């Protein structure tokens, strides 16, 4: 859910208003385990409703969970979920294991079903977009600081993010100009 490229980006989930959130807010190891258990249970319930076998756990370590979803035929997808420390967000990604597996829509639907099963909310994210065409997104657009316009954070030079215009909080999000300029060459 970190990559803001169209077709890949998905908003992280917020569990602060979920019915079971009181149990998650206890600052103990058990509360993190319960949250990860609930995510895994939701994955299994969604698979069962779709007539698919239950997902298998590939790795579970602290705040991190990786599962494999087996779909009809021989296709499969991997789902990763990370509970952000000191926050109420769940970062995730679900993708087909085979290159060009064509499961993007299926996996977007799967992620949305899991989120709804957990009764988590989508966390609104303002994407810093700079569109080439005014009527929609295209492969020629540039996106926020995590995209190719500035490179990965590890490769950003000191000061790359300094001096950016701050958006006006009174302007609706759909009409904000992009505060990201072109990267100096």
């Amino acid at each position: 859910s970190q990559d803001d490229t169209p077709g890949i980006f998905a908003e992280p989930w917020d569990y602060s208003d979920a019915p079971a959130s009181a149990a998650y807010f206890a600052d103990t190891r058990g509360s993190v385990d319960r949250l990860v258990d609930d995510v895994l249970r939701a994955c299994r319930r969604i698979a069962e409703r779709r007539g698919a076998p239950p997902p298998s756990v590939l790795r579970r370590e602290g705040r991190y969970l990786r599962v494999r979803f087996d779909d009809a035929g021989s296709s499969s997808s991997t789902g990763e979920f990370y509970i952000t420390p000191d926050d109420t967000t769940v970062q995730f990604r679900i993708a087909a294991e085979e290159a060009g597996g064509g499961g993007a829509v299926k996996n977007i639907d799967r992620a949305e079903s899991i989120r709804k099963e957990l009764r988590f909310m989508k966390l609104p994210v303002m994407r810093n977009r700079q569109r080439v065409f005014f009527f929609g997104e295209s492969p020629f657009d540039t996106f926020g600081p995590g995209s190719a316009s500035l490179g990965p954070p590890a490769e950003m030079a000191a000061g790359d993010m300094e001096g950016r215009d701050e958006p006006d909080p009174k302007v609706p999000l759909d009409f904000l100009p992009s505060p990201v300029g072109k990267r100096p060459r």
Side-chain angles (χ1 to χ4, degrees), residues 10-29:
E11 297 92 343
W13 302 334
D14 176 43
Y15 57 86
S16 61
D17 290 333
S21 65
Y24 302 148
F25 288 123
D27 191 23
T28 65
R29 177 91 175 133

Side-chain angles (χ1 to χ4, degrees), residues 2 7 13-14 17 52 56-57 63-64 72 77 97 118 122 131 141 151 159 166 170 181:
Q2 293 291 320
W13 302 334
D14 176 43
D17 290 333
S56 52
V57 176
R63 300 174 171 280
Y64 177 77
S77 298
E97 290 182 351
L118 291 163
K122 286 184 181 180
R131 292 184 176 164
D141 298 344
E166 291 297 320
K170 297 176 189 168

Side-chain angles (χ1 to χ4, degrees), residues 139-155:
F140 305 109
D141 298 344
T142 57
F143 295 89
S147 73
S149 65
L150 290 173
E155 296 176 10

Side-chain angles (χ1 to χ4, degrees), residues 73-150:
S74 61
S75 68
S76 59
S77 298
T78 300
E80 293 179 290
F81 304 88
Y82 180 71
I83 313 304
T84 309
D86 303 319
D87 203 351
T88 60
T89 58
V90 178
Q91 305 289 332
F92 70 94
R93 62 182 174 182
I94 302 175
E97 290 182 351
E98 302 81 25
V105 172
K106 173 178 54 182
N107 285 322
I108 289 169
D109 182 52
R110 175 182 283 138
E112 187 65 6
S113 297
I114 293 167
R115 181 191 68 79
K116 288 178 179 177
E117 179 73 21
L118 291 163
R119 299 174 120 182
F120 291 175
M121 301 297 292
K122 286 184 181 180
L123 186 63
V125 175
M126 186 174 86
R127 294 169 55 201
N128 297 325
R129 52 182 104 169
Q130 198 166 32
R131 292 184 176 164
V132 173
F133 305 113
F134 70 91
F135 51 82
E137 293 178 343
S138 76
F140 305 109
D141 298 344
T142 57
F143 295 89
S147 73
S149 65
L150 290 173

